[in-house]
């Protein structure tokens, strides 16, 4: 995926005009490295699928390396950030996971995976934002089409049932 550098003799090198413009855009923060390299959405999606397969097989360190590379290449990719957060969560790197979920949500506020997973981590820390994230995940995925949406729905139901039981206990003499 690298750009071609043409050598003209031993002294001079000339880069393709598009490559120079891409590097300048990257230096100004106007383009990601993936854009400079010409990585397509389909290529990024295929790499992400390999990362998901690695994580599902328990090869979390390899998945981490792959997703970190995707995020480094394109920090704007909310799905890659949410996936990296999930790997960090499975590795027990909870603060890093929250940071990646939050970065994903800055780009894509309705990402049910990032909302559900961050919500669960916030609840573990005793923070009310966790319930808000879970409720937002249910709202973002009302039909439970994603695993994150289904898990958020189950957690909201469980929390609600516990709260109702607690209220019943408190109202009885």
């Amino acid at each position: 995926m690298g750009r071609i550098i043409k050598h003209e003799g031993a002294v001079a090198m000339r880069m393709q005009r598009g490559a120079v413009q891409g590097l300048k855009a990257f230096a100004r923060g106007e383009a990601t490295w993936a854009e400079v390299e010409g990585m397509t959405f389909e290529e990024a999606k295929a790499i992400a699928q390999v990362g998901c397969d690695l994580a599902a097989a328990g090869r979390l360190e390899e998945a981490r390396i792959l997703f970190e590379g995707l995020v480094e290449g394109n920090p704007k990719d909310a799905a890659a950030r949410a996936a990296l957060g999930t790997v960090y969560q499975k590795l027990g790197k909870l603060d890093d996971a929250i940071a990646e979920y939050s970065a994903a949500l800055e780009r894509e506020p309705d990402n049910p995976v990032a909302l559900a997973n961050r919500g669960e981590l916030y609840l573990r820390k005793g923070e009310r934002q966790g319930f808000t994230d879970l409720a937002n995940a249910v709202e973002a995925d009302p039909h439970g089409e994603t695993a994150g949406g289904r898990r958020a729905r189950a957690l909201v139901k469980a929390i609600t049932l516990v709260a109702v039981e607690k209220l019943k206990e408190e109202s009885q003499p």
Side-chain angles (χ1 to χ4, degrees):
M1 286 198 328
R3 296 285 180 205
I4 297 171
I5 299 175
K6 295 181 181 179
H7 297 276
E8 295 181 359
V11 180
M13 291 192 306
R14 184 171 48 101
M15 294 180 72
Q16 295 176 349
R17 176 177 252 198
V20 172
Q21 290 172 340
L23 290 171
K24 287 180 180 179
F26 177 75
R28 291 188 304 265
E30 297 169 357
T32 66
W33 190 249
E35 291 168 333
V36 170
E37 286 293 321
M39 180 183 282
T40 66
F41 174 77
E42 290 77 20
E43 290 170 329
K45 188 175 177 181
I47 293 169
Q49 185 58 55
V50 171
C52 291
D53 293 344
L54 288 169
R59 296 167 60 182
L60 297 175
E61 281 300 321
E62 292 166 281
R64 178 191 59 79
I65 291 167
L66 197 145
F67 284 119
E68 284 178 348
L70 280 176
V71 167
E72 187 68 29
N74 185 2
K76 299 176 185 176
D77 186 344
R81 286 195 171 272
L84 179 57
T86 300
V87 171
Y88 282 155
Q89 186 172 353
K90 290 179 180 181
L91 287 169
K93 297 179 172 192
L94 304 185
D95 290 336
D96 291 337
I98 289 172
E100 289 303 325
Y101 295 140
S102 296
L105 291 167
E106 285 177 20
R107 285 294 203 188
E108 189 181 323
D110 292 341
N111 185 309
V113 173
L115 285 166
N117 290 348
R118 188 178 77 171
E120 184 178 345
L121 291 178
Y122 278 151
L123 283 178
R124 286 185 193 173
K125 294 173 88 174
E127 296 181 23
R128 289 183 59 97
Q129 179 63 40
F131 189 77
T132 301
D133 281 355
L134 291 173
N136 288 338
V138 171
E139 187 175 310
D141 184 5
H143 303 294
E145 295 172 12
T146 65
R150 289 187 296 276
R151 195 171 77 258
R153 182 180 306 279
L155 287 169
V156 167
K157 283 182 181 178
I159 291 167
T160 303
L161 289 173
V162 169
V164 167
E165 288 301 316
K166 200 168 199 174
L167 286 173
K168 284 181 183 177
E169 290 172 7
E170 290 176 2
S171 67
Q172 293 178 357

